[in-house]
Amino acid sequence: MRLSRVTVPTLKEKPAEAEIPSHELLLRAGMMRSVAAGIYALLPLGTLALEKIEDIVREEMNAAGAMEVVLPGLHPSDPWIQSGRWQAYGPEMMRLVDRQGREFCFAPTAEEVITLMVSRTAPSYRDLPLNLYQIQTKFRDEIRPRFGLLRAREFRMKDAYSFHTSEEELDDTYRSMYEAYSAVARRCSLDVRVIDAATGLIGGDVSQEFMVISEVGEDEIIYCTECEYGASAEMEVHRPGVGFGSPESGKLEEVKTPGMVSVEDVAVYLDTDNAHVLKCVLYVVGGEALAVFVPGYREVSEAKLECVLGTGDFHPLREDERELYPAVTAGFTGPVGLEGVRILFDQEVKGSRGLVCGANRVDHHLKGVEEGRDFKADSVADIAYTVEGDLCARCGGVLRKARGIEIGHIFKLGLKYSEPLGASFTDQDGNGKPMVMGTYGIGTSRILATVVELHHDDAGIKWPKAVAPLPLELLVLSPESAEQAKVAADLEQGLKASGMEILVDDRDVSPGIKFNDADLIGLPAQVIIGNKLAEGKIDLKLRYSGERIETFPEGANQAIERAIDVAT
RNA sequence: CGGGGUGUAGCGCAGCCAGGUUAGCGCGCGUGCUUUGGGAGCACGAGGCCGGCGGUUCGAAUCCGCCCACCCCGACCA
């Protein structure tokens, strides 16, 4: 592949649209161009890198027993209406209408279509389990696309769907997908942290996300510094802290706190701190008031609340709803003597004493409140976000916050789609039963951006060899020199014969441009043919380590192959 | 959708506030000569519906209105 003939429009300056390294470098290295907001075209080198990634995904999926299929990009509305997601998806799903007035969507995912397709084959238990995947262009009309390929509206994704006779069978496939995803990440030189996640719109019971820790990541995650535990910030579980309230008992007394509604105001007014104040957050759940009590320094996680309540149908009590629930005194709600309201306590409230809380009377709070003595925390759960210093519920290690890029997500769906879509199989007794399903997504174009995000320096991209568009760039500093051209052609031919396609910079430009472009494009190895050839020498440079090796054209193929072999 | 910002040559930008010749600069691009191990020099040259529509004015890149596109922050989503 010759640079004089392939389109690799490198840019010297940072394009105005790019904010983060991966976006900037993919543009500058001539691998990608933007077409519209969140919609990108890949040029030849970008395409080659994406193909490398998708081939790795293919290999791992096939090795795990999955089979590739090709599903349409455009889906009719019917199956989506049947599953309820035509409604549930909202404007994030791109909808369009054909000339007959039929409605379609540009598929953001494919549970419905594949489930119907599999169910139409009338499978028996003998046909299961089944694991089918595709690698497709998807579309999600994100409210705000950003960061180039990292959060595009149109993107490439591998999505797999598995079908089973039982939960146990699903567990096996889920585990094999977990392994396959770990292998994909490893081969792409990405360190992943697997975290427990909220299941969101896809639904289902269990799901885990494969996260790459990065400052530009859009998800906040919590992970343990000691063990493998990790979770999305809204779903993490931590041990109850020990810093809430006071060690000693105190006398219960009521104090005037005129207009002191927020935790901070009360703490300052009563000369204490938020580690002694019991915070109350009021919700309306299915038309009923719910008082949630958490330590003053914590926030309620509505995702955890959803799990505890078993429904997502709740919202914070609005101003205009207060009169509907006279039992709660907004701003001054406390657990002591509170009646006619459903109450939920954070785990940390159990056994705490010396607390300040609302007195259920306007402008009044209670001091010296003690759980067990003044009120009983009967219904207790972990419903608060983690704070600095919290400990891992599994091992007691210190929990840390970080940001992560989600490159993969695996779900146990159970019967969520097979039931509404009537997707069943015939069991041993000849009875129809709904199939148990799993779904597994991995963002291939996002991996492309993530690799660049993690593997670059000031000069450009440093492709790990497994996903590099090509393994080697050959710089011919003076292509008009017959000797240099001859050595280059021989090397190129020799490498090609041993199955290595390379990039040759045979442009008639100054050496500096070639060096800089080569570092920018970032192929794992560079061979430089210049005036050292007069002494019979050429240079071999490894992009990742920066290491330079002098070698000779004779036998260079072996040296190159060895060098690339050991390259990162 | 709310807030902020930007649209001028392929890319990066100046000019706009204070309207007035042929709209500039750097990079890139073309031709020629010289150069050639980390973004070379000289000469000549091509390239613009100044985002679009409408208005004000003798005159609009510049002022006003509407629209569109793109970027950033937020809400949202995964």
Side-chain angles (χ1 to χ4, degrees), chain A residues 66-127:
Chain A
M67 283 170 290
E68 186 167 9
V69 295
V70 177
L71 299 174
L74 230 47
H75 294 185
S77 57
D78 269 11
W80 288 80
I81 291 169
Q82 222 174 315
S83 72
R85 288 208 297 179
W86 189 258
Q87 262 274 317
Y89 237 107
E92 191 185 329
M93 184 157 73
M94 187 83 157
R95 291 152 218 255
L96 43 165
V97 178
D98 75 4
R99 66 204 299 168
Q100 312 281 8
R102 294 172 224 147
E103 290 195 290
F104 288 81
C105 66
F106 190 154
T109 171
E111 281 81 6
E112 286 81 356
V113 161
I114 195 150
T115 304
L116 285 178
M117 191 180 81
V118 168
S119 94
R120 281 197 198 117
T121 67
S124 89
Y125 70 95
R126 293 172 197 272
D127 303 315

Side-chain angles (χ1 to χ4, degrees), chain A residues 387-407:
Chain A
V387 296
E388 212 58 56
D390 276 337
L391 301 180
C392 176
R394 283 195 201 163
C395 77
V398 176
L399 294 176
R400 283 267 161 74
K401 281 188 191 180
R403 301 194 71 80
I405 301 167
E406 176 192 347
I407 61 162

Side-chain angles (χ1 to χ4, degrees), chain A residues 285 288-292 308-309 338 340-344:
Chain A
V285 189
E288 236 184 292
L290 169 73
V292 176
V308 172
L309 296 175
L338 182 61
V341 179
R342 189 170 166 194
I343 304 175
L344 198 55

Side-chain angles (χ1 to χ4, degrees), chain A residues 291-305:
Chain A
V292 176
F293 291 99
V294 298
Y297 51 81
R298 291 192 188 274
E299 302 291 331
V300 175
S301 162
E302 295 191 354
K304 290 185 182 180
L305 203 52

Side-chain angles (χ1 to χ4, degrees), chain A residues 424-554:
Chain A
S424 57
F425 70 98
T426 310
D427 71 6
Q428 281 97 321
D429 304 325
N431 299 317
K433 280 175 134 178
M435 291 185 280
V436 178
M437 289 178 58
T439 182
Y440 321 93
I442 194 162
T444 55
S445 53
R446 182 177 278 181
I447 286 179
L448 175 67
T450 304
V451 168
V452 176
E453 195 60 42
L454 267 71
H455 299 280
H456 70 268
D457 61 16
D458 290 345
I461 304 172
K462 302 195 291 187
W463 288 106
K465 69 174 178 223
V467 296
L470 297 159
L472 173 80
E473 178 165 344
L474 184 56
L475 319 204
V476 191
L477 297 191
S478 306
E480 71 283 357
S481 143
E483 299 92 302
Q484 290 189 21
K486 166 100 171 56
V487 169
D490 288 351
L491 273 175
E492 185 186 15
Q493 214 168 13
L495 290 165
K496 201 168 199 165
S498 60
M500 190 190 293
E501 182 72 37
I502 67 169
L503 184 65
V504 180
D505 191 346
D506 58 340
R507 296 174 298 173
D508 181 23
V509 296
S510 74
I513 292 177
K514 291 181 183 173
F515 289 127
N516 282 303
D517 273 355
D519 288 347
L520 177 60
I521 291 166
L523 302 188
Q526 299 169 11
V527 164
I528 298 135
I529 300 176
N531 54 20
K532 280 190 192 171
L533 194 60
E535 307 155 36
K537 291 179 192 161
I538 60 177
D539 281 329
L540 178 56
K541 176 181 161 184
L542 296 183
R543 177 67 177 97
Y544 214 99
S545 62
E547 190 183 351
R548 291 162 190 269
I549 305 156
E550 264 193 354
T551 182
F552 307 92
E554 307 76 39

Side-chain angles (χ1 to χ4, degrees), chain A residues 411-425:
Chain A
F411 295 81
K412 290 185 192 176
L413 289 174
L415 307 177
K416 154 127 184 170
Y417 293 89
S418 44
E419 277 189 329
L421 295 170
S424 57
F425 70 98

